[in-house]
Structures are given as C-alpha cells and as structure tokens.
Amino acid sequence: FPPSFSWRSDAMSQGGGEPAVRDALAKIHDLECVIKDFKDGDETFLTENINRFIASLSQVRDNVGKEEEAELPLELLRRLDAGGNPDKFVVDAFHTCVVENQRVKGKTVKLTQFRDALLREASEAFPAEARLYKKLKGHAES
C-alpha cells in the first residue's frame, strides 16, 4: 500500500465538524471576494473578514476531535498541492487496481494450469503416489 497521512477526528463522523469546515470555506470565499475588489478605505472591512475567518478556524479546531482516524494517501495530498483534481486521483487509483487485478488473475490462471499439468505428469510417472495424493486432497479419480 502507498504511504498515507493519518488524521484523527471524532466530531467529523458525528457531523459536528462538517458545518464548521463548510463555514470556514465560505469565509475563505468571502475573503477572496473582498481582496479581489479591495479599494482604499476598505481596511476595516478586510480586517473584520479576516477576524471572522480566524474565528471559523477556531470553530473547526474545536469541532474536530481526536477519536476517529482517517488515512489519506500521500500521493493524493501531493496531487492536491499541485492543483490536481481529487476525483482524477480516485479514477487513476481504480484504474491501477483493475490493471493489477488483471495481472494477478493471469498469474492465477497460469499457476492453475501448471498445477494441473504437474499432476498429470506425476500421475504418469508415479501412479500409486498420485492416486494417494488425489485421495488425500479429495480429487476425483481421472
């Protein structure tokens, strides 16, 4: 498994953290709008928005406890830091799993064929031992 980042929270599972996180995200959006349209004389309004954002971060910290553990793949965090879409990460992870599953399935089929061929050859070379082996393994006599 790829390396992962552990994060613990109990309130998030109980719904207590999600509203706080949503509120903090809304405050970020508000700040972006204020900064985008900033004009001289709006310093007080900007300061108020920053203080509201800081208060919302305090709410997030208070609402997010330490009882539930969530593991986030480090690759996901790297992609997010690089501006990547988390949905694309999930699609890529599923694709990787499908490819790996097909590879393992091929190995399983080849091992089954090898076992059958080995048993056939062993039956020809050592019939008594092969019958005893089949009896012990519960195989039907061929």
Side-chain angles (χ1 to χ4, degrees), residues 7-19 63-70:
W7 179 60
R8 296 175 59 86
S9 166
D10 64 344
M12 288 295 278
S13 65
Q14 299 165 0
E18 185 174 347
N63 285 325
V64 176
K66 297 180 180 175
E67 296 304 318
E68 180 184 325
E69 185 171 320

Side-chain angles (χ1 to χ4, degrees), residues 5 8 14 38 40 58 62 66 70 72 84 92 120 131:
F5 170 77
R8 296 175 59 86
Q14 299 165 0
F38 185 77
D40 285 338
S58 296
D62 293 343
K66 297 180 180 175
L72 302 173
D92 291 346
R120 232 182 357 265
R131 273 194 303 277

Side-chain angles (χ1 to χ4, degrees), residues 43-81:
E43 293 86 7
T44 304
F45 186 61
L46 177 62
T47 304
E48 289 171 359
N49 275 292
I50 291 173
N51 288 335
R52 281 196 290 266
F53 173 63
I54 291 170
S56 70
L57 290 179
S58 296
Q59 286 286 356
V60 169
R61 186 179 48 241
D62 293 343
N63 285 325
V64 176
K66 297 180 180 175
E67 296 304 318
E68 180 184 325
E69 185 171 320
E71 291 190 17
L72 302 173
L74 290 178
E75 179 62 26
L76 172 62
L77 297 176
R78 286 187 190 109
R79 285 192 187 189
L80 289 174
D81 286 343

Side-chain angles (χ1 to χ4, degrees), residues 5-141:
F5 170 77
S6 292
W7 179 60
R8 296 175 59 86
S9 166
D10 64 344
M12 288 295 278
S13 65
Q14 299 165 0
E18 185 174 347
V21 170
R22 287 185 187 276
D23 183 53
L25 291 173
K27 298 290 189 262
I28 289 172
H29 177 71
D30 293 344
L31 266 174
E32 287 176 339
C33 292
V34 169
I35 291 170
K36 182 177 138 187
D37 299 331
F38 185 77
K39 296 177 185 125
D40 285 338
D42 288 343
E43 293 86 7
T44 304
F45 186 61
L46 177 62
T47 304
E48 289 171 359
N49 275 292
I50 291 173
N51 288 335
R52 281 196 290 266
F53 173 63
I54 291 170
S56 70
L57 290 179
S58 296
Q59 286 286 356
V60 169
R61 186 179 48 241
D62 293 343
N63 285 325
V64 176
K66 297 180 180 175
E67 296 304 318
E68 180 184 325
E69 185 171 320
E71 291 190 17
L72 302 173
L74 290 178
E75 179 62 26
L76 172 62
L77 297 176
R78 286 187 190 109
R79 285 192 187 189
L80 289 174
D81 286 343
N85 185 343
D87 294 337
K88 174 111 173 64
F89 172 80
V90 173
V91 169
D92 291 346
F94 278 123
H95 177 70
T96 301
C97 289
V98 167
V99 168
E100 182 68 17
N101 186 39
Q102 290 300 317
R103 192 176 65 77
V104 170
K105 182 180 176 184
K107 284 182 176 181
T108 303
V109 168
K110 290 298 180 185
L111 282 171
T112 301
Q113 291 171 349
F114 176 72
R115 184 198 64 210
D116 294 344
L118 186 61
L119 190 55
R120 232 182 357 265
E121 293 291 324
S123 295
E124 291 174 11
F126 309 101
E129 289 85 355
R131 273 194 303 277
L132 181 60
Y133 173 78
K134 287 179 183 180
K135 182 178 176 185
L136 288 173
K137 290 302 258 181
H139 290 199
E141 286 286 330

